Amino acid sequence: MRVFEGLYYVKRNTAMHRLDPRAKLVYVLCITILSTVVFHTALPMIMLFISVIPLAVEGRVLRRLLSTLRGGAVLAAFIFIFNFIGRLWNISFANPSSPEFLEALMPSLAMALRFLTLIAAFSIFFLTTSPDDFAQALVQMRLPYDYALTFTMAMRFIPTLAREAQIVADAQKSRGLELEKGGFMQRIRNYIPILVPLIVSSFRRAETIADAMESRAFGASKRRSFLYMLKFKLSDALFSIICIAITAAIIWLRLSSFLPP
């Protein structure tokens, strides 16, 4: 469940926390474009991954980011193994006499690094962005308030569900449940005593939230008022311009063949 720790908002008084959520969305979008569209090899992925670390240090969320990456390392390992086996099979099938292991190794490593880079970038965003500020930013971006509220509530309760799942699993283990016992199908059946209490708890929480929203007359007025409005400051504009300029420069260098393919 460590991979969901990157969705917890950590309140700090840092420059990353004071940035407008829209500016941080620009940064996440730039990282996504560079990692999924522009670069497909391991070395640029490593550089992109390293570029996230200073932001985590400045936001004082490096420990939580590392915990999230440890949780995501298992999925990254699966991505690497499956890609490596598939590419090695294709290469060996095409040329059985001399399989090129590097041709299978490096793209598979790049896929795993891409996954970790995206996890790190999105974790930085959610660790340093308040759900209320994020909802307000979505509303000011002309997204309907109902959709903004639904999205932010979902992102807020995913870590809560992960924590409850861990608590239920520990409680069931203390009662003698062995999750790692048996074959593959038996292990799936072992998780049923965890899923049932978790589903019941989720329905209870959803009903409580619905009652709370109904008691506050949610949806009675089509025109909403807000206690405060986000302001896109000069620092937010500079941060966004720097991210966009670096991304555009890298894309130009890539298209102009100054960077290797």
Side-chain angles (χ1 to χ4, degrees):
M1 300 301 175
R2 288 179 175 177
V3 69
F4 294 108
E5 291 189 10
L7 300 177
Y8 286 105
Y9 168 62
V10 182
K11 189 175 182 179
R12 298 280 192 273
N13 185 20
T14 65
M16 283 299 299
H17 285 76
R18 291 190 295 269
L19 277 176
D20 192 282
R22 291 164 289 186
K24 285 181 276 191
L25 278 176
V26 171
Y27 166 75
V28 172
L29 181 62
C30 291
I31 291 293
T32 303
I33 292 174
L34 291 176
S35 61
T36 59
V37 179
V38 179
F39 295 127
H40 303 281
T41 55
L43 182 59
M45 294 298 169
I46 295 175
M47 297 176 65
L48 281 177
F49 180 78
I50 294 176
S51 69
V52 179
I53 304 301
L55 299 181
V57 173
E58 199 286 328
R60 292 187 289 170
V61 292
L62 181 60
R63 182 176 298 179
R64 283 186 175 270
L65 177 62
L66 293 178
S67 180
T68 302
L69 293 175
R70 282 197 298 269
V74 178
L75 297 176
F78 276 110
I79 293 174
F80 171 77
I81 292 172
F82 286 130
N83 277 274
F84 180 73
I85 293 175
R87 292 176 182 273
L88 190 61
W89 173 267
N90 292 332
I91 294 173
S92 300
F93 184 78
N95 189 7
S97 60
S98 59
E100 298 291 341
F101 286 94
L102 285 179
E103 292 184 11
L105 177 65
M106 299 310 292
S108 303
L109 181 61
M111 290 288 291
L113 289 171
R114 177 182 293 117
F115 177 73
L116 292 176
T117 301
L118 291 175
I119 285 182
F122 279 94
S123 295
I124 289 292
F125 177 83
F126 288 109
L127 287 171
T128 60
T129 304
S130 169
D132 297 330
D133 291 342
F134 186 34
Q136 183 63 35
L138 293 177
V139 170
Q140 293 183 216
M141 292 168 63
R142 306 304 181 189
L143 186 71
Y145 181 77
D146 295 348
Y147 295 104
L149 179 64
T150 302
F151 182 76
T152 53
M153 287 182 65
M155 301 309 299
R156 179 180 295 181
F157 283 109
I158 285 176
T160 303
L161 289 176
R163 182 185 299 173
E164 285 191 358
Q166 187 63 51
I167 293 174
V168 173
D170 294 339
Q172 297 288 29
K173 286 181 181 180
S174 67
R175 292 175 172 85
L177 178 64
E178 297 181 0
L179 297 176
E180 292 80 14
K181 184 178 180 180
F184 180 73
M185 296 304 297
Q186 181 61 37
R187 291 186 180 184
I188 294 178
R189 296 190 191 98
N190 291 340
Y191 277 91
I192 295 178
I194 297 176
L195 293 177
V196 173
L198 189 63
I199 292 173
V200 172
S201 175
S202 301
F203 278 115
R204 287 178 177 175
R205 178 179 291 105
E207 186 177 2
T208 302
I209 294 173
D211 293 339
M213 295 173 67
E214 186 177 359
S215 66
R216 290 166 173 81
F218 180 80
S221 176
K222 298 299 180 182
R223 185 176 181 180
R224 299 186 57 87
S225 60
F226 299 95
L227 180 62
Y228 67 95
M229 299 290 289
L230 294 176
K231 295 182 179 180
F232 205 76
K233 303 181 294 296
L234 178 61
S235 58
D236 303 321
L238 290 176
F239 182 79
S240 303
I241 291 173
I242 290 173
C243 293
I244 295 174
I246 293 175
T247 304
I250 292 175
I251 294 175
W252 180 78
L253 291 174
R254 179 69 179 82
L255 295 176
S256 301
S257 299
F258 286 101
L259 293 177

